[in-house]
Amino acid sequence: MNKLILGRYIPGDSVLHRMDPRAKLLASFYYIGIIFLARTWQAYALLLVFTLALIGISKIKLDFFIKGVKPLLWLILFTVLLQIFFTRGGHVYWQWGFLTLTQYGLINGVYIFMRFVLIIFMSTLLTLTTPPLSLADAIESILKPLKVVHFPVYEVALMLSIALRFVPTLMDETTKIMDAQRARGVDFGEGNLFQQMKAIVPILIPLFVSSFNRADDLATAMEARGYQGGEGRSKYRILKWRTRDTVAFITMGLLTVALLFLR
């Protein structure tokens, strides 16, 4: 299985799978926003327990969420190290030149790491429990008021649905190309940074060619089926807001109150 989880949907019958995609999308963005209210270890512990509880409700293995963190691990570690060595305050544990290891630096580093992990977990939970087409329908429904200012709502929703749909496909294509290159003796882990970047070129060129071919085939298929935008089209999937969606937002409100209390 590919390391990248974004765009993949795992069928299921949990409460999260049955929720309205608009509720899940808005709740996910709201959750990402209130993460920044956390300023103490108790608040982060509460957020972690809440997130793990949602993962348990979704009945999806934790391995999928850990795999979602791995592709961004180096970016996370780089950001954490910047916070650790460039944040001043508290007891100084170590200092060398402009690098300083302080009490507040360590605390901020842990908090930043937790924020990244929680955001990735929630984003992964959203995509794993929501089909890409349903997610696109939710975005279209949420953005509908912007039609008043002539915002291209249907076009944006179509682009997002296509992007989410083809992310796993492109990752599968990348894996096949890399396996073909390895069969020809290419080692992507050898050499210095520039040599490793040079080794990626034989992957990017066929991947770009394949992507443009897929885009051309998709455009031809849409034109052959008479696609002319979303205005006036009927919907096969009708979105319905139910009681469980309202309960989800009430829960998010209670979580917000708890975070404000823990500040």
Side-chain angles (χ1 to χ4, degrees), residues 5-10 14 16-32 51 54-55 58 60 65 118-136 138-139 142 164:
I5 303 299
L6 179 65
R8 293 193 179 277
Y9 167 67
I10 298 179
S14 68
L16 293 179
H17 283 83
R18 297 195 302 270
M19 281 181 61
D20 190 301
R22 294 171 296 181
K24 285 189 280 187
L25 184 62
L26 292 174
S28 297
F29 279 112
Y30 183 81
Y31 176 84
I32 292 172
T51 306
L54 290 180
I55 293 174
S58 70
I60 298 175
F65 299 88
L118 291 172
I119 289 172
I120 294 173
F121 274 21
M122 183 57 66
S123 303
T124 304
L125 184 64
L126 173 66
T127 56
L128 291 180
T129 59
T130 313
L133 292 179
S134 297
L135 197 58
I139 294 172
I142 293 171
L164 289 172

Side-chain angles (χ1 to χ4, degrees), residues 69-83:
V69 175
K70 286 182 178 180
L72 298 174
L73 188 59
W74 289 109
L75 175 62
I76 296 172
L77 292 178
F78 176 73
T79 307
V80 169
L81 289 176
L82 287 179
Q83 288 291 325

